[in-house]
Amino acid sequence: MTREEKATVIKDLTAQLADNPNIYLADISGLNAVDTSNLRRACFKANIKLAVVKNTLLAKAMEASDKEFGELPEVLKGNTSLMLSETGNAPAKLIKNFRKKSEKPVLKGAFIEEAVYIGDENLEALVNIKSKEEVIGDIIGLLQSPAKNVISGLKSGGGKLAGILKTLSEKE
C-alpha cells in the first residue's frame, strides 16, 4: 500500500468516525467463512456497517478526528473490526445474540455518544443503553400520565367543577 493509498484510507476512516456517533471495535478473528457471512448479513439487516481495519490506520484516523477517544486506541491490537451504527445499543445486541452460537465477536471497546467503554465485560451495559428516541419516549410517557389523570377527571366529574375536583382528589 502506497503512502497516498494509506492517506486516502485514513481520510475515509476519519470521515466515518466523524459521521457516526456510535463506534464499536470487535475481534472477529477465527470465525469461519459461514459465520463471517452470517455476521455480515446480520449487520446489514441491523443497519450496522462492518469493516475489518488495519490498527495503525484506524489509530491515525482517531488522532485526526475531533472526537476524544480516551483509552480506545489502546485496544487496537490483533484483529480489529469496526462496527458503526446510528443506534447506540444495536451492535451490542447483535454481538450478544451472535455469541449464542459462537465465541466471537469479542468486544474490544466502544465509543457511544462521547462515552468510552473498554473491554468485553461492558457488553451487557451497552446492550441496556437506551437510544435517544427511547429516552424521549419514556419522558413523554411520564409527562402524559398527569395529563391523562386530569382528562379522566374531567370526563368522570360530569363536567361540574365540584365533581372534577372530587375525582382528582380521589386519585391522589
Side-chain angles (χ1 to χ4, degrees):
M1 188 179 278
T2 67
R3 280 190 179 176
E4 292 80 21
E5 290 171 330
K6 286 181 182 178
T8 302
V9 170
I10 292 168
K11 185 178 176 185
D12 291 344
L13 283 172
T14 304
Q16 288 180 13
L17 295 176
D19 293 343
N20 290 281
N22 306 300
I23 300 158
Y24 281 69
L25 303 177
D27 178 1
I28 64 170
S29 64
L31 288 179
N32 62 32
V34 172
D35 288 340
T36 301
S37 178
N38 289 339
L39 178 63
R40 290 188 178 281
R41 191 174 300 111
C43 285
F44 180 78
K45 286 180 181 175
N47 202 22
I48 298 169
K49 294 179 198 166
L50 174 69
V52 176
V53 293
K54 284 189 162 267
N55 291 331
T56 53
L57 300 180
L58 182 56
K60 288 182 181 183
M62 286 178 163
E63 285 176 26
S65 173
D66 292 336
K67 295 180 179 176
E68 181 53 51
F69 289 103
E71 299 172 19
L72 204 54
E74 295 171 21
V75 303
L76 295 175
K77 296 176 180 91
N79 181 295
T80 303
S81 294
L82 183 65
M83 299 174 89
L84 305 171
S85 173
E86 288 294 318
T87 307
N89 62 2
K93 286 180 177 179
L94 186 134
I95 290 170
K96 182 178 178 181
N97 191 34
F98 202 80
R99 288 214 321 227
K100 291 176 182 174
K101 301 174 195 148
S102 173
E103 293 179 11
K104 300 278 177 137
V106 174
L107 177 68
K108 292 173 130 187
F111 178 87
I112 311 298
E113 308 265 347
E114 301 181 14
V116 176
Y117 298 83
I118 303 294
D120 194 58
E121 63 275 3
N122 288 305
L123 185 61
E124 196 61 40
L126 290 167
V127 167
N128 293 324
I129 287 178
K130 290 189 175 192
S131 68
K132 285 181 183 177
E133 291 78 17
E134 290 171 323
V135 172
I136 290 170
D138 288 349
I139 291 170
I140 289 172
L142 291 170
L143 292 174
Q144 284 180 340
S145 184
K148 286 179 182 175
N149 287 342
V150 171
I151 292 169
S152 69
L154 290 171
K155 288 179 180 174
S156 67
K160 295 187 178 168
L161 190 55
I164 294 168
L165 292 174
K166 181 180 179 216
T167 304
L168 289 175
S169 66
E170 290 170 359
K171 292 195 179 216
E172 289 180 18

